[in-house]
Amino acid sequence: MNQISIERVAALLFLIFGIKVLYSAQKMSAQTDIEVMNEAEEAIEDGERKFKQRNTTWKIFIESCVLTFIAEWGDRTQFATITLAASKDSIGVMLGGILGHAICALIAVIGGRAIASHISERTITIIGGILFIILAIVSIAFGSK
């Protein structure tokens, strides 16, 4: 497979992921947001209780690493990163992926609770779908020729 066809496959995957995410968002209801919000609040309260019981930095670090690894394994963003690495500079993709993930984790840690009370899961899902479609357009427009 040559360089141009890999970039086209990457753009196609971004487009497919974007459409799939937008379709999922369209199927979500307001009830879904309420259920997710209740589950998140219960998880936060449960986590705070457990945090108070066993508050060691090392345990929290290990739990965060394992949880993040399991959550990301096989995720669409992982496939998007694999596709990008196949068609672009692997070192740049790796560094960009690490920095991007660190920024996302920072936002989640610092602002997740406040954001969740003001923005619905459906809205966030729509934004994600639009971003995948933008990535598809950018891949096609600025891919190497």
Side-chain angles (χ1 to χ4, degrees):
M1 209 177 241
N2 64 26
Q3 188 73 13
I4 293 174
S5 61
I6 289 174
E7 289 175 358
R8 289 186 180 170
V9 169
L12 179 64
L13 286 172
F14 287 142
L15 183 63
I16 290 169
F17 290 151
I19 291 169
K20 183 187 178 307
V21 169
L22 288 175
Y23 178 74
S24 296
Q26 185 253 342
K27 289 175 49 177
M28 289 179 177
S29 68
Q31 186 64 28
T32 303
D33 290 338
I34 293 168
E35 291 170 3
V36 169
M37 189 74 111
N38 289 339
E39 288 176 19
E41 287 174 359
E42 288 174 17
I44 289 169
E45 289 170 3
D46 187 44
E48 287 174 348
R49 276 193 303 275
K50 288 179 181 178
F51 179 77
K52 290 175 184 172
Q53 292 172 355
R54 51 186 168 88
N55 183 12
T56 67
T57 303
W58 185 245
K59 284 184 178 181
I60 294 168
F61 175 78
I62 295 295
E63 286 179 15
S64 297
C65 286
V66 170
L67 179 64
T68 302
F69 180 81
I70 290 170
E72 292 300 319
W73 190 255
D75 187 77
R76 284 187 295 258
T77 56
Q78 183 184 29
F79 293 121
T81 304
I82 290 168
T83 305
L84 246 123
S87 62
K88 307 289 182 195
D89 175 45
S90 297
I91 300 296
V93 172
M94 181 184 68
L95 293 174
I98 290 169
L99 180 62
H101 194 79
I103 291 169
C104 286
L106 183 66
I107 290 169
V109 168
I110 294 173
R113 194 172 200 178
I115 290 171
S117 65
H118 298 295
I119 299 176
S120 70
E121 181 185 7
R122 184 172 190 262
T123 301
I124 291 173
T125 304
I126 290 169
I127 291 168
I130 291 169
L131 288 175
F132 269 116
I133 292 172
I134 290 170
L135 280 172
I137 294 167
V138 169
S139 293
I140 292 169
F142 297 106
S144 64
K145 299 180 179 178

